[in-house]
Amino acid sequence: SWMIMCSPGFCALASWPALLAVIVARGRVASTVEPYDRAVAQPLLDAAAERRANGDVEGALAQLVVAEEHAPNDPRVPVLRGEILHAEGRPADAAAAFRRAVYLDPNPPAVLLALARAHADAGNRRAAIFFTEQAIFRSGARGTLRQQAERSLERLIFPVIAESGFGAERYVRPEPG
């Protein structure tokens, strides 16, 4: 698929992959979703988190349905839903929730890594590798999240590491400053 790009005094033939490379090189993908007011969903998110802490998982999920009705473009709502579903042993449902969050805001590497882990737990290794790579790309050159994502990628690519116990997750101290 080719297209002609013309600007005053310049016409060039460019491919879609080249245009995509330019967009990716800028480091962020623009979201096409309308902006949202964080204050609208915050009390509902707090109520859902409190219900979850009290052991009322179904109540927390119901509270998140209400939150999504009031703030449909807030990515924090599906992130919390995904966290709850993943903790409850429903990784496929968690992956769907995290995908919704990535649709609303495709840039946070922590959400991409959570999506990758949900896919891995659901048995979709290919999607897990893809989203782990995206988390690494978006996490910057250094930091705890990047280290976690790189270790996750190693375990996904080389399952023998995970099976041997060498790839067990361990706490990584945040870097000072």
Side-chain angles (χ1 to χ4, degrees), residues 47-120:
E50 184 177 331
R51 283 184 168 195
R52 177 187 182 196
N54 292 332
D56 183 12
V57 173
E58 292 305 317
L61 292 172
Q63 189 72 42
L64 291 172
V65 169
V66 173
E68 186 135 28
E69 290 171 358
H70 285 86
N73 295 333
D74 191 336
R76 298 173 303 160
V77 175
V79 166
L80 184 55
R81 179 182 294 115
E83 290 172 355
I84 292 170
L85 292 169
H86 197 245
E88 289 299 308
R90 296 167 52 186
D93 294 334
F98 288 130
R99 274 190 179 272
R100 170 82 177 140
V102 168
Y103 169 76
L104 294 171
D105 186 0
N107 297 302
V111 177
L112 292 165
L113 187 56
L115 175 57
R117 288 177 176 162
H119 276 300

Side-chain angles (χ1 to χ4, degrees), residues 3-177:
M3 65 179 255
I4 302 289
M5 291 178 37
C6 293
S7 62
F10 177 76
C11 273
L13 190 63
S15 68
W16 281 108
L19 294 174
L20 182 61
V22 169
I23 292 169
V24 169
R26 291 185 179 153
R28 283 186 66 91
V29 176
S31 177
T32 59
V33 177
E34 294 293 321
Y36 61 93
D37 183 7
R38 294 177 64 90
V40 172
Q42 191 59 51
L44 299 168
L45 290 169
D46 292 341
E50 184 177 331
R51 283 184 168 195
R52 177 187 182 196
N54 292 332
D56 183 12
V57 173
E58 292 305 317
L61 292 172
Q63 189 72 42
L64 291 172
V65 169
V66 173
E68 186 135 28
E69 290 171 358
H70 285 86
N73 295 333
D74 191 336
R76 298 173 303 160
V77 175
V79 166
L80 184 55
R81 179 182 294 115
E83 290 172 355
I84 292 170
L85 292 169
H86 197 245
E88 289 299 308
R90 296 167 52 186
D93 294 334
F98 288 130
R99 274 190 179 272
R100 170 82 177 140
V102 168
Y103 169 76
L104 294 171
D105 186 0
N107 297 302
V111 177
L112 292 165
L113 187 56
L115 175 57
R117 288 177 176 162
H119 276 300
D121 290 345
N124 189 345
R125 186 170 167 262
R126 179 176 289 169
I129 290 171
F130 173 78
F131 286 110
T132 303
E133 289 173 338
Q134 293 302 308
I136 291 169
F137 175 74
R138 300 242 181 261
S139 65
R142 299 174 45 144
T144 303
L145 184 71
R146 183 178 183 102
Q147 292 172 355
Q148 290 174 359
E150 287 174 343
R151 281 196 312 276
S152 292
L153 185 62
E154 288 172 357
R155 286 191 305 272
L156 287 166
I157 293 175
F158 306 110
V160 70
I161 293 174
E163 293 166 6
S164 69
F166 288 116
E169 193 69 34
R170 60 182 166 73
Y171 176 74
V172 177
R173 277 199 180 144
E175 297 174 1

